[in-house]
Amino acid sequence: MTQQVPDEAWQLLEEWLPDNDDPDRPVMTLATVDEAGLPDARSVLLSEYDRDGFSLHTDATSRKVGQLDARPGAALVLRWPDALRQLVVRGTAERAHRAETDRAYALRSPYLQRLAWVNTPAVAQLPPQERRAKWADFAAIHPVPDPPASWVGFLVRPTSLTFWTGEPDSVSHRREYRLGASGWLRTELPG
Ligand SMILES: Cc1cc2nc3c(=O)[nH]c(=O)nc-3n(C[C@H](O)[C@H](O)[C@H](O)COP(=O)(O)O)c2cc1C
């Protein structure tokens, strides 16, 4: 049984998502499960995608990392309001290798590279003007920083992919690909 995204779903992903080298990265909602079994969610950038899954990058000390390390089940929601499209991915998150996280960091904008260094719990405690001063000091000393040790990535390997499409003059519709014991199954669902 292959875990990779099936051909049909892959064609849709390529149609819906920007190329990985497009600097304008899509925003997705990442849902995780906390230590009490309750859902948690936040926005993250889709760093890149391939037939194995969807990559995101973040800080190792963040809540989401503790949650994903302890309970790797995750869901992603991407929306294209103007195109009347939504993609929902459910799957399992695993840590990315260092070479992959380094590559993703190099592709981040200078602003996001600095953010990975300066956006710390200690800086969060400071008043706004001191946070600005920390930011300016860091930018002056490290114009193009290397990734901090806390920069980590996750690959969400899908076990289901649900492509929702809306239409102004017809019903909305979902096409779902679900990974079962004998491979990927496609079902058509109401929107
Ligand atoms: C549009 C947008 C994109 C974001 N992208 C990321 C991201 O790629 N990685 C990240 O760690 N946080 C990103 N954030 C911040 C997260 O939403 C979140 O506040 C932070 O990561 C802490 O989340 P946690 O406490 O649930 O771990 C983004 C926020 C917004 C509004």
Side-chain angles (χ1 to χ4, degrees):
M1 180 180 67
T2 173
Q3 293 277 334
Q4 286 197 317
V5 171
D7 290 344
E8 278 184 15
W10 178 247
Q11 275 167 26
L12 280 172
L13 290 176
E14 287 198 303
E15 199 183 308
W16 285 24
L17 291 166
D19 290 343
N20 288 329
D21 58 7
D22 186 333
D24 197 12
R25 303 315 303 151
V27 178
M28 49 190 189
T29 301
L30 163 68
T32 51
V33 181
D34 75 7
E35 61 282 3
L38 295 171
D40 200 354
R42 76 291 288 155
S43 303
V44 292
L45 298 177
L46 171 63
S47 297
E48 58 179 42
Y49 73 106
D50 63 20
R51 291 193 73 148
D52 289 324
F54 303 81
S55 297
L56 59 105
H57 292 84
T58 188
D59 189 293
T61 64
S62 66
R63 270 192 299 230
K64 68 180 91 51
V65 170
Q67 293 167 355
L68 288 173
D69 281 344
R71 289 162 296 277
L76 305 168
V77 181
L78 290 98
R79 280 187 68 215
W80 294 261
D82 296 341
L84 295 178
R85 286 175 177 172
Q86 170 185 244
L87 170 65
V88 180
V89 178
R90 300 179 75 212
T92 307
E94 60 189 56
R95 289 241 192 178
H97 299 295
R98 188 80 222 177
E100 189 280 332
T101 58
D102 283 354
R103 192 179 73 237
Y105 185 84
L107 291 171
R108 285 285 204 258
S109 67
Y111 171 82
L112 291 173
Q113 290 179 344
R114 282 184 198 134
L115 203 60
W117 279 93
V118 186
N119 220 356
T120 62
V123 171
Q125 310 312 313
L126 302 174
Q129 68 275 21
E130 288 183 40
R131 296 204 298 269
R132 258 184 226 108
K134 287 274 180 205
W135 178 266
D137 289 350
F138 184 85
I141 298 166
H142 303 281
V144 185
D146 290 328
S150 59
W151 174 254
V152 293
F154 284 88
L155 173 72
V156 177
R157 288 187 186 273
T159 52
S160 79
L161 296 146
T162 309
F163 296 88
W164 179 97
T165 47
E167 292 195 40
D169 54 358
S170 181
V171 293
S172 54
H173 180 79
R174 283 174 297 162
R175 172 165 294 180
E176 189 163 274
Y177 298 88
R178 191 172 283 272
L179 187 61
S182 51
W184 289 92
L185 275 180
R186 182 179 119 187
T187 46
E188 308 295 329
L189 298 163

